């Protein structure tokens, strides 16, 4: 069924403006509409309506309307467009798009995702093939007697008992307790795709040695730790053993699956008949199994070399809590898939995505973590084609009866979770991250794919976005509105309407005639501008970007060899082939000031629609048999397309500054390693409470899979939030890494001051709290950058030995010091906050009230309440003065919030650099300070002596929470040993000490003695 959005024509368009024979019929009919498929066709038709005659135009209307909609909304669209022609009224495409998006945002009463547009597992041919073949229990046998143990890897053959065709397996030991397993065809018809550019470099291998082995088994170890890799020959299986306990088994369920590439059918016809070595299927089953052709709707996917899917199972012993594999609008803890669809990793433009659904949306990171008491593991499946992941947790009683021997005896009370990975093509290339702690796994993954890029400081402030700010005057008024209402913000954003007819790297000459002047206005307040740049390029012989790209063959090609063409915002478009290094280099050059006329050094970039989104394509994306650089089909690398655009964009901004300035690039589509290039957001969410709530586990999942710089559109992109929801969303967004308000074109304006004075005050307070905490945020991002520690963390990371934290997803930690529990229910008067840690103490960030840990506390909440708690034992740096933007706060003073532990101690850190350049990296121009409080003495000392960065800033305020006894005196001691008395205020009721009007240089050594 299509989305049940009941539309009445008279409600959507004003009746007086649309009178006539066609209109009357339309006002009387109700239609069922699926908005996602309408948006390009109406605009495209309207553009053509001036040049086409009525008959051609009407036939084109029917052609452009997607088949499922042709009956339902024929009269509605025809009346709208006919009216524009009959009256010869110049009705701009923008106006029509506004109405189309009104259908989406105002009349979508049910879910927006149409299952006829997007596939479920039953419609995915390689899934059906694997499930059918695996039911026959075909097995593989390893030929270990001929295994070769080399310096870098151990190699051996795996032979299918059914087809007798061999595969080549390679096992690598990698520095940092990582194992890598690669399985490929031994003699493929042509090379199979191996994902490039994701790994930061070739991993340093550790020579594995054989500590025992024969024809039936082989035991490998790196000789350093307790980890062993036990390979069994028949049937082929690998056990990862730690301290004589099997923690992971590979292919223990016999789900290794490998379809071999085949000679194209046309070539095979001229050769002798050969047995199909990939799938045992009769001729009549060929179409259902999608061997050489796969049909979906009107689309036919032709597979030149036949089916090429792969699969493998992993059994995690003793584990039942798994996390990762974004992006899905789902819970943080991965669910069993035994009674439903598998998790799908396939980047798609899913407008108004349904929550609690395993459909793949904008990005894919094929990486999951498993956690239990005492151990954390990671599995990184390096494959960029469409991927499905099945998860099944089994209680121990179902399998321990068949276990034998001393190792199995230890597993007697353990559960087991089986993970089955399936990909449409490529090779099996999997990294096993053995931990053993969550922090170790994060470091292991970052060693492979890189850490979060260090963001420029302004990007941690608040961002104001809308589709679209109308013109330069609109931008000027919105910018002034923030100042008038004393609300700080850092970045103004412009969506697609700022361009000349959706031609990226251009400006609409009527609406934005002087973009440099507009940017200078923002610069005068230390603010920035972000504009959009999508991967589709309008087909227009007068558009220089299109002409130059076409001349150089820089577009993705179709199966026939011509440029791939698809419909997106500009109408008919071609798509840049970012997998080509030369295309990326050329695209990076488009951001130079000479090439991008009207841009300045305060302009940054937003990559959208880069799944890639193709409005009339299968599942609204590119056909899988489109051809990329190197003659690789799109199916091989679909999930990495957006990764490459963000890479090229970030490099372009760096080159623009001659390598001096950090870039800021937001991308909608992403892959493993995207963290190296910028930020990610959760896409087209909806202005409903449930989307606010689901944003928390979505961001937690992104965070633990390497992408710390992530956020969700505040207020919801689709629809109009009520004032209470908007306030709660600002409160949540202020405590999430990427903080941007955004809204669709047809929604009501929702700048923070448009909801009455009281709601304006509450939003102002939330945003100002964000700016108060910027020193802490920036320090957290430095830790993410250098040590791969997530900024936003699920509780189980900070409390890995507390089972009660493993399933919590309605609250989270910012670093190790702050616990945040956003209010996500309407009209809430209380929230139940779980405060973990039996030896912990927690302080309300606002009231300073404190509670012991390991309990759930019912906290009263009013609309101005943001439930944030500081962990005892932490020191949080803050700014005591808030400016219009981060640039105004460079020299403003600092404060320290010292929250004492149950042992009356606390530690914290502080990081500072210039906030925008790479000098912290190349010239070591940074400050890294350590704060500690012990035995009544607060010490500021150097945490990294390599750094040098002069700062005039001072610590002017110190709060000490949990000080049980009123001090008799407080003194400061500078590095020269000089003591100075300090006035103080002590509150016995709240056990707080307040020191103000201090002047302690943030970058100098000093002490504060509390006696």
């Amino acid at each position: 069924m299509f989305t049940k959005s009941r539309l009445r024509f008279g409600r959507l368009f004003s009746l007086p403006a649309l009178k006539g024979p066609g209109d009357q019929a339309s006002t009387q009919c109700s239609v069922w509409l699926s908005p996602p498929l309408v948006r390009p066709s109406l605009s495209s038709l309207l553009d053509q309506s001036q040049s086409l005659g009525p008959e051609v135009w009407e036939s084109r209307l029917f052609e452009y309307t997607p088949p499922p909609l042709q009956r339902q909304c024929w009269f509605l669209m025809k009346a709208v467009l006919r009216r524009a022609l009959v009256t010869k009224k110049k009705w701009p495409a923008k106006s029509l798009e506004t109405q189309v998006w009104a259908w989406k945002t105002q009349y979508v009463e049910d879910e927006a995702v149409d299952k006829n547009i997007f596939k479920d597992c039953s419609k995915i041919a390689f899934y059906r093939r694997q499930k059918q073949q695996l039911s026959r229990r075909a097995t593989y046998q390893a030929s270990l007697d001929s295994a070769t143990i080399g310096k870098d890897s151990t190699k051996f053959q795996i032979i299918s008992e059914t087809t007798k065709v061999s595969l080549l397996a390679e096992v690598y030991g990698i520095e940092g307790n990582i194992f890598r397993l690669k399985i490929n065809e031994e003699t493929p018809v042509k090379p199979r795709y191996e994902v490039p550019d994701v790994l930061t470099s070739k991993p340093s291998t550790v020579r594995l040695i054989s500590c025992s082995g024969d024809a039936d088994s082989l035991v490998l170890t790196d000789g350093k730790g307790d980890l062993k890799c036990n390979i069994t020959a028949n049937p082929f299986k690998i056990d990862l053993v730690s301290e004589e306990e099997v923690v992971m088994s590979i292919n223990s369920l016999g789900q290794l699956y490998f379809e071999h590439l085949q000679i194209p059918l046309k070539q095979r016809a001229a050769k002798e008949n050969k047995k199909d070595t990939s799938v045992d299927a009769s001729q009549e089953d060929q179409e259902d199994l999608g061997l050489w052709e796969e049909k979906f709707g009107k689309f036919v996917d032709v597979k030149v070399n036949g089916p090429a899917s792969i699969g493998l199972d992993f059994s995690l012993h003793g584990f039942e809590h798994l996390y990762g594999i974004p992006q899905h609008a789902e819970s943080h803890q991965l669910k069993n898939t035994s009674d439903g669809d598998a998790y799908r990793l396939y980047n798609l433009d899913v407008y108004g995505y349904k929550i609690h659904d395993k459909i793949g949306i904008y990005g894919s990171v094929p990486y999951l973590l498993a956690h239990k008491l005492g151990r954390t593991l990671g599995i990184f499946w390096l494959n960029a084609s469409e991927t499905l992941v099945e998860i099944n947790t089994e209680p121990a009683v179902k399998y321990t009866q068949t276990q034998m021997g001393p190792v199995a005896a230890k597993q007697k009370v353990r559960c087991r979770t089986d993970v089955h990975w399936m990909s449409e093509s490529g090779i099996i290339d999997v990294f096993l991250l053995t931990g053993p702690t969550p922090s170790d796994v994060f470091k292991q993954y970052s060693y492979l794919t890189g850490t979060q890029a260090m963001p420029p400081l302004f990007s941690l402030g608040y961002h104001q976005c809308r589709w679209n700010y109308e013109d330069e005057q609109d931008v000027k008024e919105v910018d002034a509105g923030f100042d008038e209402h004393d609300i700080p913000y850092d970045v103004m954003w412009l969506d697609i309407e700022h361009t000349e007819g959706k031609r990226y790297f251009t400006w609409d000459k009527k609406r934005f005639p002087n973009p440099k002047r507009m940017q200078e206005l923002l610069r005068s307040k230390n603010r920035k501008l972000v504009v959009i740049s999508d991967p589709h390029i309008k087909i227009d012989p007068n558009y220089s970007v299109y002409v130059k790209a076409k001349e150089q063959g820089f577009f993705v090609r179709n199966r026939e060899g011509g440029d791939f063409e698809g419909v997106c915002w500009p109408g008919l478009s071609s798509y840049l082939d970012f997998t080509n290094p030369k295309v990326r280099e050329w695209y990076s050059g488009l951001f130079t000031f000479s090439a991008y006329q009207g841009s300045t050094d305060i302009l940054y970039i937003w990559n959208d629609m880069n799944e890639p989104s193709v409005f009339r394509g299968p599942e609204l994306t590119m056909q899988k048999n489109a051809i990329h650089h190197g003659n690789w089909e799109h199916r091989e690398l679909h999930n990495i397309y957006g990764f490459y655009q963000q890479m090229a964009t970030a490099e372009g901004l760096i080159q623009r500054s001659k390598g001096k300035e950090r870039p800021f690039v937001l991308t909608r589509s992403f892959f493993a390693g995207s963290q190296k290039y910028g930020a990610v957001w959760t896409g087209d969410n909806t202005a409903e409470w449930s989307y606010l709530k689901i944003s928390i586990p979505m961001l937690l999942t992104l965070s633990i899979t390497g992408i710390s710089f992530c956020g969700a559109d505040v207020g919801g992109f689709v629809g109009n939030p009520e004032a209470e929801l908007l306030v709660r969303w600002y409160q949540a967004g202020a405590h999430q890494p990427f903080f941007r308000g955004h809204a669709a074109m047809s929604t009501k304006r929702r700048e923070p001051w448009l909801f009455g004075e009281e709601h304006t005050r509450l939003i102002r307070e939330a945003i100002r709290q964000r700016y108060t905490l910027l020193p802490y945020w920036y320090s957290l991002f430095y830790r993410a950058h250098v040590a791969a520690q997530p900024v936003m963390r699920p509780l189980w990371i900070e409390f890995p030995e507390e089972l009660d934290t493993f399933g919590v997803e309605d609250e989270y930690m910012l670093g190790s010091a702050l616990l945040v529990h956003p209010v996500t229910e309407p009209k809430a008067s209380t929230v139940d906050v779980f405060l973990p840690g039996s030896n912990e103490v927690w302080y309300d960030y606002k009231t300073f009230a404190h509670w012991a840990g390991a309990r759930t506390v019912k906290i009263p909440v009013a609309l101005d309440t943001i439930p944030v708690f500081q962990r005892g034992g932490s020191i949080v740096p803050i700014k005591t003065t808030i400016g219009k933007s981060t640039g105004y706060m460079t020299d403003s003073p600092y404060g320290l919030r010292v929250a004492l532990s149950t042992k009356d101690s606390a530690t914290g850190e502080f990081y500072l650099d210039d906030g925008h350049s790479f000098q912290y990296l190349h010239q070591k121009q940074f400050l890294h300070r350590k704060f500690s409080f012990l035995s009544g003495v607060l010490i500021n000392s150097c945490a990294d002596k390599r750094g040098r960065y002069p700062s005039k800033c001072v610590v002017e305020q110190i709060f000490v929470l949990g000080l049980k006894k009123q001090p008799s005196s407080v003194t400061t001691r500078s590095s020269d040993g000089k003591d100075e008395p300090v006035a103080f205020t002590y509150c016995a009721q709240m056990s707080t000490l307040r020191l103000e009007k201090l002047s302690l240089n943030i970058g100098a050594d000093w002490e504060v003695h509390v006696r």
Side-chain angles (χ1 to χ4, degrees):
M1 283 291 295
F2 265 83
T3 300
K4 297 180 179 178
S5 308
R6 197 166 179 81
L7 312 180
R8 288 195 177 273
F9 190 79
R11 292 172 60 196
L12 190 55
F13 300 98
S14 61
L15 289 174
L18 288 169
K19 294 180 180 178
D23 298 341
Q24 184 177 2
S26 298
T27 60
Q28 296 173 351
C29 73
S30 295
V31 297
W32 300 99
L33 182 64
S34 177
L37 287 179
V38 181
R39 54 189 180 189
S41 57
L42 290 177
S43 298
S44 302
L45 280 172
L46 197 60
D47 288 341
Q48 298 176 28
S49 65
Q50 306 299 321
S51 57
L52 298 176
E55 293 182 1
V56 176
W57 177 74
E58 287 193 22
S59 66
R60 191 67 60 84
L61 170 65
F62 190 80
E63 173 191 342
Y64 267 55
T65 307
L69 295 180
Q70 287 171 352
R71 295 187 183 88
Q72 291 95 329
C73 59
W74 166 266
F75 291 107
L76 177 63
M77 292 194 297
K78 186 174 180 180
V80 172
L81 293 175
R82 184 189 289 272
R83 182 62 184 166
L85 286 181
V86 169
T87 61
K88 296 183 179 179
K89 180 180 178 181
K90 290 188 177 180
W91 193 355
K94 174 191 161 295
S95 175
L96 187 54
E97 285 175 354
T98 300
Q99 298 299 336
V100 172
W101 280 81
W103 296 347
K104 289 185 170 187
T105 58
Q106 297 177 28
Y107 297 94
V108 176
E109 298 169 359
D110 206 339
E111 62 194 64
V113 180
D114 176 24
K115 291 295 186 180
N116 291 321
I117 301 173
F118 303 106
K119 297 179 181 178
D120 57 26
C121 286
S122 67
K123 297 175 182 176
I124 299 172
F126 77 85
Y127 177 81
R128 297 197 304 271
R129 292 197 304 272
Q130 292 208 27
K131 299 301 283 187
Q132 180 186 99
Q133 184 74 359
L134 291 173
S135 66
R136 301 171 185 172
R137 304 296 298 177
T139 59
Y140 282 86
Q141 179 175 340
S143 180
L144 297 180
D145 51 354
S146 59
T148 59
I149 302 177
K151 178 181 178 182
D152 292 328
S153 68
T154 297
K155 300 180 181 181
F156 54 91
Q157 288 182 322
I158 306 174
I159 302 172
S160 167
E161 290 188 356
T162 304
T163 65
K164 306 305 179 184
V165 177
S166 65
L167 299 170
L168 176 64
E170 299 175 86
V171 178
Y172 299 78
I174 296 175
E175 278 188 3
N177 290 330
I178 303 171
F179 286 94
R180 183 182 193 178
L181 172 65
K182 295 179 72 173
I183 301 177
N184 198 353
E185 292 188 57
E186 194 165 34
T187 55
V189 171
K190 66 177 185 179
R192 297 179 72 111
Y193 188 75
E194 299 187 38
V195 178
D197 302 316
V198 168
L199 301 182
T200 55
S201 61
K202 184 179 179 181
S204 297
T205 57
V206 177
R207 186 184 183 102
L208 297 176
I209 58 175
S210 173
C211 55
S212 67
D214 52 33
D216 298 321
S217 66
L218 177 64
V219 180
L220 301 173
T221 178
D222 62 8
K224 296 179 180 179
D226 69 306
L227 288 169
K228 295 179 182 178
C229 184
N230 295 358
I231 305 171
T232 302
N234 190 18
F236 166 63
K237 183 181 74 161
I238 297 177
D239 289 324
L240 197 63
V241 179
S242 174
E243 297 179 348
E244 302 305 316
E245 178 179 271
V246 178
V247 294
M248 181 191 301
S249 298
I250 301 174
N251 201 45
S252 61
L253 302 182
Q255 293 178 332
L256 171 60
Y257 187 91
F258 214 104
E259 295 177 330
H260 294 253
L261 298 177
Q262 300 174 67
I263 298 172
L265 286 174
K266 291 182 180 179
Q267 296 180 26
R268 293 181 72 188
K271 297 176 179 282
E272 61 180 350
N273 272 341
K274 294 184 178 180
K275 184 176 181 180
D276 185 341
T277 59
S278 60
V279 178
D280 181 16
S282 61
Q283 188 64 37
E284 56 267 25
D285 290 334
Q286 297 273 323
E287 183 173 335
D288 179 63
L289 293 176
L291 299 179
W292 296 89
E293 289 186 354
E294 185 172 350
K295 296 179 181 178
F296 179 64
K298 65 178 181 180
F299 301 99
V300 179
D301 175 21
V302 177
K303 304 171 186 179
V304 176
N305 291 103
S309 75
I310 58 173
L312 189 61
D313 64 271
F314 300 78
S315 294
L316 303 169
H317 301 287
F319 293 88
E320 56 181 333
H321 294 90
L322 273 65
Y323 314 92
I325 56 172
Q327 187 180 38
H328 305 92
E330 255 293 8
S331 60
H332 177 53
Q333 182 181 340
L334 298 174
K335 298 176 179 177
N336 272 13
T337 61
S338 55
D339 57 351
D341 270 2
Y343 285 92
R344 190 181 185 201
L345 295 174
Y346 191 61
N347 298 353
L348 292 171
D349 178 3
V350 187
Y351 172 86
Y353 47 81
K354 181 182 177 183
I355 63 174
H356 299 298
D357 198 322
K358 297 176 181 62
I359 184 174
I361 48 179
Y362 308 101
S364 298
V365 181
Y367 163 49
L368 63 75
L369 297 89
H371 179 69
K372 65 177 180 177
L373 297 175
R375 184 132 214 157
T376 309
L377 298 174
I379 301 175
F380 175 34
W381 178 268
L382 184 52
N383 191 295
S385 68
E386 180 178 2
T387 296
L388 301 171
V389 185
E390 290 185 323
I391 294 171
N392 185 41
T393 300
E394 295 284 354
V397 293
K398 287 191 177 182
Y399 73 97
T400 52
Q401 294 176 359
T402 63
Q403 302 290 315
M404 301 294 289
V407 173
K410 293 185 179 182
Q411 301 174 13
K412 192 170 185 180
V413 296
R414 299 192 302 167
C415 62
R416 186 190 80 218
T417 297
D418 300 318
V419 182
H420 183 198
W421 297 81
M422 293 167 277
S423 292
E424 184 180 10
S425 59
I427 69 166
I428 293 174
D429 189 0
V430 60
F431 296 84
L432 311 177
L433 316 181
T434 64
T437 68
S439 180
D440 291 330
V441 172
F442 297 144
K443 290 175 183 176
Q444 289 158 356
Y445 179 70
S446 70
Y447 173 74
L448 298 173
T449 67
T451 61
Q452 177 66 57
M454 187 64 190
L457 179 60
F458 78 81
S459 65
L460 300 186
Y462 174 63
H463 301 247
Q464 182 65 30
C465 187
R466 179 176 179 80
W467 179 29
N468 203 91
Y469 284 116
E470 298 294 327
D471 50 32
E472 290 178 10
Q473 183 61 29
D474 196 8
V475 170
K476 183 177 180 180
E477 291 174 359
V478 172
D479 176 75
F482 279 89
D483 296 336
E484 179 183 343
H485 294 89
D486 194 25
I487 301 173
Y489 93 103
D490 264 80
V491 192
M492 176 66 67
W493 290 55
L494 295 178
D495 210 315
I496 54 178
E497 309 302 330
H498 84 277
T499 63
E500 182 183 0
K502 318 299 187 298
R503 297 169 181 85
Y504 306 108
F505 303 97
T506 70
W507 303 86
D508 186 303
K509 293 181 176 60
K510 293 182 179 179
R511 301 166 67 186
F512 295 91
N514 197 334
K516 284 189 176 181
R517 180 180 61 191
M518 176 180 63
Q519 290 167 76
E520 291 309 314
L521 169 69
L522 296 173
R523 186 198 302 275
S524 70
K525 302 177 183 181
N526 291 309
R527 290 170 178 153
K528 318 296 181 186
L529 179 70
V530 169
V531 299
I532 200 166
S533 182
D534 293 348
H536 51 263
I537 302 297
K538 182 179 178 65
I539 296 177
D540 177 358
N542 297 315
Y543 177 26
S544 64
V545 174
Y546 170 75
V547 171
K548 292 175 182 177
K550 185 171 181 61
E551 286 175 352
Q552 297 178 80
F554 283 170
F555 292 122
V556 178
R557 292 171 288 129
N558 59 33
R559 199 160 56 94
E560 290 73 34
D563 290 343
F564 174 86
E565 296 180 354
V567 174
C568 207
W569 294 126
L572 204 58
S573 304
S574 289
Y575 288 71
L576 290 170
D577 184 4
F578 290 105
T579 67
N580 185 341
K582 291 184 178 179
V583 175
R584 296 198 299 272
E585 181 181 3
W586 172 80
Y587 186 76
S588 294
L590 297 179
F591 294 99
T592 62
F593 301 125
S594 59
Y596 193 173
Q597 294 292 313
S599 68
T600 73
D601 61 353
I602 69 158
L603 179 145
Y604 297 86
I605 300 299
W606 168 20
N607 294 150
D608 197 8
M609 313 298 286
N610 53 346
E611 292 74 28
S613 178
V614 183
F615 288 154
R616 298 179 63 202
E619 298 192 273
L620 305 183
T621 192
M622 188 174 286
Q623 280 89 330
K624 287 182 174 179
N625 53 15
I627 305 298
H628 288 266
H629 172 67
N631 211 35
W632 295 108
E633 286 190 313
H634 185 71
R635 81 179 74 253
E636 307 280 359
L637 49 84
H638 172 86
N639 286 344
I640 206 171
Y641 181 86
F643 166 95
Y644 276 125
Q645 187 192 16
Q646 190 187 24
M647 174 198 288
T649 304
E651 182 58 32
L653 294 183
I654 293 172
Q655 290 177 10
R656 183 184 72 177
S657 69
K658 297 181 170 34
K660 296 178 181 178
E661 299 294 314
R662 290 174 236 169
F664 170 75
V665 184
L666 178 73
T667 182
R668 190 169 74 176
S669 183
F670 55 88
F671 191 70
S674 286
Q675 66 270 11
K676 297 189 293 287
Y677 306 114
V680 160
W681 92 107
T682 61
D684 296 345
N685 58 358
T686 298
E688 297 174 6
W689 287 93
S690 58
Y691 283 81
L692 167 59
K693 191 170 188 176
I694 202 68
S695 70
I696 299 171
M698 290 179 74
L699 298 180
L700 289 174
T701 298
L702 285 168
S703 296
I704 66 166
T705 52
I707 303 176
S708 270
F709 204 1
C710 57
D713 285 342
V714 170
F717 178 69
V718 183
N720 296 300
E722 60 193 84
E724 182 192 5
L725 173 58
L726 187 63
V727 168
R728 291 302 191 195
W729 216 317
Y730 268 101
Q731 292 171 345
H735 295 88
Q736 293 166 352
F738 177 58
F739 184 25
R740 180 183 74 158
H742 189 30
M745 176 183 285
S746 63
T747 61
K748 298 175 183 178
R749 294 293 285 257
R750 63 167 84 145
E751 285 71 39
W753 51 88
L754 297 179
F755 293 80
E757 289 187 14
E758 179 61 14
H759 295 110
T760 299
R761 179 183 68 82
L762 297 173
I763 294 172
R764 179 192 301 116
E765 287 180 0
I767 296 176
R768 288 176 67 86
Q769 183 156 319
R770 168 64 165 228
Y771 280 76
T772 297
L773 282 168
L774 277 176
Y776 182 62
W777 279 106
Y778 200 56
S779 300
L780 289 181
F781 269 95
Y782 179 69
R783 295 301 302 168
H785 179 55
V786 299
Q789 299 303 304
V791 171
M792 182 177 174
R793 306 173 186 175
L795 298 190
W796 64 266
I797 288 177
E798 283 299 311
F799 302 92
E801 298 303 315
E802 296 196 21
L803 190 61
D804 289 342
T805 67
F806 293 5
V808 176
E809 62 175 32
D810 57 354
E811 60 188 52
Y812 52 90
M813 298 292 295
L814 291 180
S816 61
L818 297 180
L819 185 150
V820 184
H821 187 115
V823 179
T824 59
E825 299 290 341
K827 298 179 175 57
S829 59
T830 62
V831 292
D832 291 331
V833 179
F834 175 63
L835 300 174
S838 56
N839 296 316
E840 303 283 347
V841 59
W842 298 88
Y843 300 86
D844 186 294
Y845 190 82
K846 185 175 182 180
T847 68
F848 306 151
H850 62 278
W851 297 267
R855 68 187 62 199
T856 298
V857 181
K858 190 173 289 292
I859 303 294
V861 293
L863 193 52
D864 66 348
T865 307
I866 309 174
V868 179
F869 304 85
Q870 185 170 350
R871 185 181 184 179
S874 68
I875 300 177
V876 173
I878 63 171
K879 281 286 188 178
T880 59
T881 304
I882 306 302
K884 292 181 179 181
S885 63
T886 56
Y888 276 89
M889 298 166 59
T890 302
D891 296 324
S892 63
Y894 291 93
L896 297 179
R897 295 179 61 116
V898 182
L900 299 184
S901 70
T902 54
K903 297 179 180 179
D904 296 327
S905 63
T907 60
E909 65 178 347
F910 168 76
Y911 175 82
L912 179 67
D913 58 26
D914 65 18
H916 60 85
S917 78
F918 284 108
Q919 289 188 356
Y920 78 94
L921 184 63
H922 303 312
Q923 283 83 38
K924 303 302 178 187
Q925 293 190 13
F926 65 85
L927 274 181
H928 189 193
R929 307 296 296 179
K930 178 182 178 181
F931 304 118
S932 63
F933 186 97
L934 182 65
S935 301
V937 181
L938 173 64
I939 301 174
N940 178 9
S941 60
C942 181
D944 189 341
K945 293 183 179 180
R946 297 175 302 167
R948 293 286 186 275
Y949 185 71
S951 174
K952 300 176 183 178
C953 291
V954 298
V955 174
E956 71 166 11
Q957 180 188 92
I958 297 174
F959 291 174
V960 182
L961 312 181
L963 193 66
K964 300 179 181 65
K965 183 180 178 181
Q966 179 169 344
S968 58
S969 68
V970 178
T971 58
T972 62
R973 178 175 297 172
S974 59
S975 57
D976 60 7
K978 186 178 179 180
D979 289 355
E980 294 284 348
V982 176
F984 62 89
T985 303
Y986 180 76
C987 176
Q989 182 180 0
M990 301 306 297
S991 300
T992 59
L993 174 68
R994 185 185 298 254
L995 310 179
E996 298 183 291
K997 297 183 180 179
L998 302 172
S999 186
L1000 302 169
N1001 188 278
I1002 190 72
D1005 292 351
W1006 45 257
E1007 299 176 358
V1008 177
H1009 291 255
V1010 180
R1011 296 182 175 90

